[in-house]
Amino acid sequence: MSIEITKVTARIGAKVSGVDISRPLAPQEVAAIREALNVHKALVFDDVRLDDTGQQAFARHLGELTTAHPTVGAVDGAPNVLPVDSERGRANHWHTDVTFVLNPPQASTLRSLTVPPYGGETLIANAAAAYRDLPEPLRRFADTLWAEHTNDYDYAVPDEEIDEERAAQRARFTSITYRTAHPVVRVHPLTGERGLFVGGFAQRIVGLSAGESRKVLDLFQAYVTRPENVLRHRWSENQLVLFDNRITQHYAIDNYDGLPRRLHRVTVAGDVPAGVEGKESYSIEGDAAHYTPVAA
Ligand SMILES: [Fe+2]
């Protein structure tokens, strides 16, 4: 049986079939998956029959794993697995996973355990297509910029949602403050492709005021979230979605009336990002050595 890759949209997303990811993969299978990830940015595997151990083993084919999260606890007995549970909050904002650390994960895997009967889709956006969509003067402008990413920023929470549990979750999330400067345009280390590397943790453009930063970030973000650049993934149970965290953003839509929704996330350790002139990201605050090794 050979691996088959079927596009889901023109610019992002493909289904992968003809490979059983619950068993150890041959080097040529890993190479085919990596190549498909480079091209399509997000890959969907159906009927995966994986448990936590299997999900970790699959992700390990792409590199060393991170622990579950720098500040949030893992699934019991599975230190590399983060529970993504509707009961623990909603990621209904555009972001790239854990970009507040110096070397964010290069890839994320999400596996569906409980899927609501309606809604609960994950949006995944191609940040390289967004960069290519920019008019040339904006591309040149973006190439020069750096952004500060942090896990500790004020965001508006509706009054009715501020309860003790939410406050405790927030306190845990920010129990270590991270701030890292990343290039706004990141060069993908495997493909050389350029992508907008911003998302929700990017709070400030280096050298600009908060107000100016917001406008500039919103301008770029509007290109990332163009419908043409976005895969809207409707989950079924026992699926695994693998996405390239170096060149995508994602958003978990909160449109399922609070019904149970549970995914398990395992992430692959990443490299330190580099901009168009090769300059690398630098840490301003917070050490993530307990969370992630640095990929070469
Ligand atoms: Fe995420």
Side-chain angles (χ1 to χ4, degrees), residues 231-263:
L231 171 70
R232 184 181 180 113
H233 177 67
R234 165 78 191 138
W235 290 96
S236 55
E237 275 173 22
N238 296 312
Q239 275 182 328
L240 183 135
V241 172
L242 164 66
F243 53 86
D244 189 331
N245 203 52
R246 295 190 273 217
I247 207 146
T248 60
Q249 287 186 31
H250 55 282
Y251 182 118
I253 309 177
D254 183 3
N255 60 348
Y256 48 95
D257 290 330
L259 291 164
R261 178 183 185 271
R262 189 173 173 92
L263 310 174

Side-chain angles (χ1 to χ4, degrees), residues 130-142:
Y131 177 79
R132 286 193 291 272
D133 281 348
L134 293 174
E136 214 243 320
L138 279 183
R139 243 180 284 148
R140 274 189 278 124
F141 177 49

Side-chain angles (χ1 to χ4, degrees), residues 44-55:
V44 180
F45 300 80
D46 287 326
D47 300 317
V48 291
R49 314 278 160 217
L50 292 173
D51 56 12
D52 289 332
T53 305
Q55 185 178 358

Side-chain angles (χ1 to χ4, degrees), residues 94-107 125-131 134 142-143 145-149 180-189 193-205 217 220-221 224 244-250 270-276 279-282:
W94 281 103
H95 66 284
T96 301
D97 286 337
V98 203
T99 61
F100 44 84
V101 303
L102 179 61
N103 63 311
Q106 57 154 293
N126 182 341
Y131 177 79
L134 293 174
D143 286 346
L145 298 176
W146 284 66
E148 201 177 295
H149 294 233
T180 300
H182 292 300
V184 164
V185 178
R186 180 177 187 180
V187 179
H188 195 289
E193 199 173 26
R194 294 179 181 191
L196 288 174
F197 192 62
V198 281
F201 299 117
Q203 287 292 303
R204 192 78 180 241
I205 299 288
L217 288 165
F220 293 136
Q221 196 61 21
V224 175
D244 189 331
N245 203 52
R246 295 190 273 217
I247 207 146
T248 60
Q249 287 186 31
H250 55 282
D271 51 311
V272 178
V276 296
K279 191 185 165 193
E280 291 191 344
S281 302
Y282 56 93

Side-chain angles (χ1 to χ4, degrees), residues 4-264:
E4 256 184 67
I5 310 290
T6 311
K7 287 176 79 157
V8 181
T9 85
R11 290 185 165 188
I12 180 164
K15 286 232 175 197
V16 182
S17 57
V19 60
D20 178 4
I21 62 169
S22 69
R23 56 165 181 78
L25 300 177
Q28 59 269 30
E29 290 176 314
V30 176
I33 290 169
R34 175 63 85 176
E35 171 62 20
L37 185 62
N38 287 343
V39 173
H40 302 289
K41 321 299 189 217
L43 302 178
V44 180
F45 300 80
D46 287 326
D47 300 317
V48 291
R49 314 278 160 217
L50 292 173
D51 56 12
D52 289 332
T53 305
Q55 185 178 358
Q56 291 171 94
F58 170 69
R60 211 171 276 119
H61 285 298
L62 297 166
E64 277 188 84
L65 302 185
T66 69
T67 60
H69 191 272
T71 56
V72 179
V75 168
D76 277 345
N80 308 102
V81 180
L82 182 77
V84 176
D85 195 314
S86 52
E87 293 197 344
R88 303 200 349 169
R90 312 281 154 84
N92 58 330
H93 56 97
W94 281 103
H95 66 284
T96 301
D97 286 337
V98 203
T99 61
F100 44 84
V101 303
L102 179 61
N103 63 311
Q106 57 154 293
S108 298
T109 64
L110 286 173
R111 176 170 60 95
S112 51
L113 284 81
T114 306
V115 174
Y118 53 87
E121 299 93 342
T122 299
L123 304 179
I124 307 175
N126 182 341
Y131 177 79
R132 286 193 291 272
D133 281 348
L134 293 174
E136 214 243 320
L138 279 183
R139 243 180 284 148
R140 274 189 278 124
F141 177 49
D143 286 346
T144 66
L145 298 176
W146 284 66
E148 201 177 295
H149 294 233
T150 182
N151 60 333
D152 188 18
Y153 59 90
D154 293 327
Y155 54 90
V157 178
D159 273 352
E160 65 272 16
E161 286 189 21
I162 300 177
D163 56 30
E164 262 175 48
E165 205 183 318
R166 286 290 288 250
Q169 278 166 1
R170 165 122 184 100
R172 194 158 49 239
F173 191 74
T174 56
S175 57
I176 307 171
T177 298
Y178 289 98
R179 288 194 299 140
T180 300
H182 292 300
V184 164
V185 178
R186 180 177 187 180
V187 179
H188 195 289
L190 300 179
T191 63
E193 199 173 26
R194 294 179 181 191
L196 288 174
F197 192 62
V198 281
F201 299 117
Q203 287 292 303
R204 192 78 180 241
I205 299 288
V206 175
L208 302 190
S209 70
E212 290 164 339
S213 296
R214 193 66 270 151
K215 287 179 179 146
V216 170
L217 288 165
D218 286 348
L219 174 63
F220 293 136
Q221 196 61 21
Y223 284 84
V224 175
T225 60
R226 281 184 165 184
E228 289 79 2
N229 293 335
V230 174
L231 171 70
R232 184 181 180 113
H233 177 67
R234 165 78 191 138
W235 290 96
S236 55
E237 275 173 22
N238 296 312
Q239 275 182 328
L240 183 135
V241 172
L242 164 66
F243 53 86
D244 189 331
N245 203 52
R246 295 190 273 217
I247 207 146
T248 60
Q249 287 186 31
H250 55 282
Y251 182 118
I253 309 177
D254 183 3
N255 60 348
Y256 48 95
D257 290 330
L259 291 164
R261 178 183 185 271
R262 189 173 173 92
L263 310 174
H264 278 185

